[in-house]
Amino acid sequence: MAGRFAPRPTLPHSREGVGGAPKPVRAGYAAVPTGVPRQVDAGPGRTRTWAPDGPLDLGLVLGPLRRGPADPTFRALPDGSVWRSTRTPAGPGTLRVSSYGGEVRGEAWGPGAEWLLEQLPEMLGAGDDPDAFAPRHRVVALARHRRPGLRLTRTGLVLESLIPSILEQKVTTDEAYRAWRLLVRKYGEPAPGPASVVGGRMWVMPAPRTWALIPSWEWHRAGVDNKRASTILRAVRVAARLEQAVGMAPEAAQARLEVVPGIGPWTSAETVQRSHGAADAVTVGDLHLPGIVGWALAGDRDADDSVMLSLLEPYAGQRHRAARLILLSGKVPARRAPRMPRGDIGRL
């Protein structure tokens, strides 16, 4: 799920959260330093200011869009700003988002700038309704109290969430992040806007036709097996039809995505959680999530999908939000076995 991974132990550079509790490192949170964002000479760009109607934490809202700490399409800078590059229906675009004094300021560059600024409130959770959520467990209520700025993003873009989700099928996150990073840097295009400001060049993910033309050996070098590569190739061939799913209800959008062979409930849920801000799209088929939910709500670390869905039944309509709050609570079972070994088929 978006932000599905259990938090690691606090690292030396991690900031502390409310009440001195360590902020989770891998629970759908992108560390965005607080403070007054310093204005940088970013060149001419279109701007928009928007005032949210409640607390807003940029790191929590936009964190699920980051695919690893070295994602070439995402940056969180020490000045408190978040940078994101993407391929919009109008073309490539780069967006800088900063928050200060109860307002959010967006600045965008490239052919997709106007589209990104128009979509800014939705991306920051304007269409989400956190007040519709009623905690039923103490651990969930406490996590919600500590994270009042959590809102569910809605990007309005399907392919940019679908492709990295396919890359994450059946492999470790490090392998998936590496594949995404290598392929985007090699076959994407430089993001429009001020590259030097973000500490290095950002990239826009490849267009559907470019994905379709990547040679088989380049997938192999990136560590992507034939099954995942073939799924991506099938998806980009019907990219226009998949992007139309943005106008559908999340359940209907998932059904359309799952028509493509190789895309199942896990991948479709991962996608609509980001593209639609689907508050009820709980991830099934995940290796870790059922055990984490089972442990947090019932002390059952061996829970499977059926047990997880039963425990989340009181949150019907808001199950994804409940699962995210459980992950952000940090209440996870202790590891009983070594991590899944990382493979690299590119060395074969």
Side-chain angles (χ1 to χ4, degrees):
M1 59 171 291
R4 67 189 181 279
F5 299 104
R8 287 177 176 171
T10 307
L11 301 180
H13 61 274
S14 296
R15 296 190 297 118
E16 290 195 336
V18 176
K23 279 190 178 293
V25 179
R26 298 181 67 191
Y29 182 84
V32 179
T34 57
V36 179
R38 58 182 175 84
Q39 298 301 314
V40 293
D41 183 10
R46 297 179 176 89
T47 62
R48 176 180 181 177
T49 301
W50 174 69
D53 59 1
L56 179 67
D57 187 322
L58 292 180
L60 284 174
V61 177
L62 300 179
L65 303 181
R66 183 180 66 173
R67 305 292 182 155
D71 186 346
T73 68
F74 191 101
R75 294 283 191 278
L77 298 190
D79 66 357
S81 64
V82 174
W83 293 70
R84 178 170 176 259
S85 59
T86 188
R87 185 172 298 279
T88 76
T94 302
L95 177 68
R96 175 183 185 263
V97 185
S98 56
S99 177
Y100 176 64
E103 288 188 337
V104 174
R105 183 175 187 268
E107 189 171 8
W109 296 264
E114 290 291 348
W115 190 93
L116 284 170
L117 292 178
E118 182 180 353
Q119 185 70 17
L120 179 65
E122 288 290 314
M123 188 184 70
L124 296 178
D128 186 31
D129 185 11
D131 294 334
F133 181 77
R136 304 290 184 178
H137 299 82
R138 179 178 175 81
V139 63
V140 177
L142 186 58
R144 185 191 187 196
H145 175 73
R146 289 179 171 174
R147 305 290 189 271
L150 172 64
R151 295 189 180 208
L152 302 182
T153 184
R154 184 184 189 277
T155 64
L157 299 169
V158 172
L159 217 62
E160 71 160 22
S161 295
L162 176 62
I163 290 177
S165 295
I166 295 172
L167 292 175
E168 292 175 5
Q169 293 176 349
K170 305 297 185 181
V171 296
T172 65
T173 53
D174 288 343
E175 293 174 80
Y177 291 160
R178 174 181 177 271
W180 172 251
R181 182 172 67 250
L182 292 178
L183 293 170
V184 169
R185 285 179 176 172
K186 186 161 188 176
Y187 293 100
E189 59 186 277
S196 60
V197 174
V198 295
R201 171 61 68 184
M202 292 181 67
W203 299 86
V204 176
M205 79 169 200
R209 177 170 173 77
T210 305
W211 284 109
L213 295 177
I214 295 177
S216 60
W217 58 87
E218 292 294 348
W219 292 105
H220 184 82
R221 288 174 179 172
V224 182
D225 56 59
N226 183 64
K227 182 177 180 180
R228 289 179 290 151
S230 297
T231 301
I232 292 175
L233 294 179
R234 287 190 288 265
V236 297
R237 291 190 186 111
V238 291
R241 292 285 291 167
L242 297 184
E243 290 292 354
Q244 290 173 2
V246 169
M248 301 178 175
E251 296 79 7
Q254 285 190 253
R256 173 169 290 194
L257 293 176
E258 291 171 22
V259 169
V260 178
I263 298 178
W266 186 93
T267 307
S268 66
E270 288 287 301
T271 302
V272 301
Q273 286 166 6
R274 298 168 171 88
S275 63
H276 290 66
D280 196 48
V282 62
T283 304
V284 295
D286 193 82
L287 179 62
H288 305 288
L289 185 62
I292 295 173
V293 173
W295 177 258
L297 300 186
D300 181 7
R301 66 181 301 158
D302 298 315
D304 57 14
D305 281 335
S306 62
V307 174
M308 176 183 70
L309 293 176
S310 176
L311 290 171
L312 292 176
E313 185 60 32
Y315 300 104
Q318 295 280 325
R319 293 178 297 175
H320 169 49
R321 191 193 308 277
R324 275 209 69 189
L325 288 170
I326 290 170
L327 291 171
L328 289 168
S329 74
K331 188 174 181 180
V332 297
R335 186 178 292 117
R336 292 187 297 190
R339 288 182 179 274
M340 179 179 174
R342 173 182 171 180
D344 185 0
I345 66 172
R347 294 176 179 265
L348 300 178

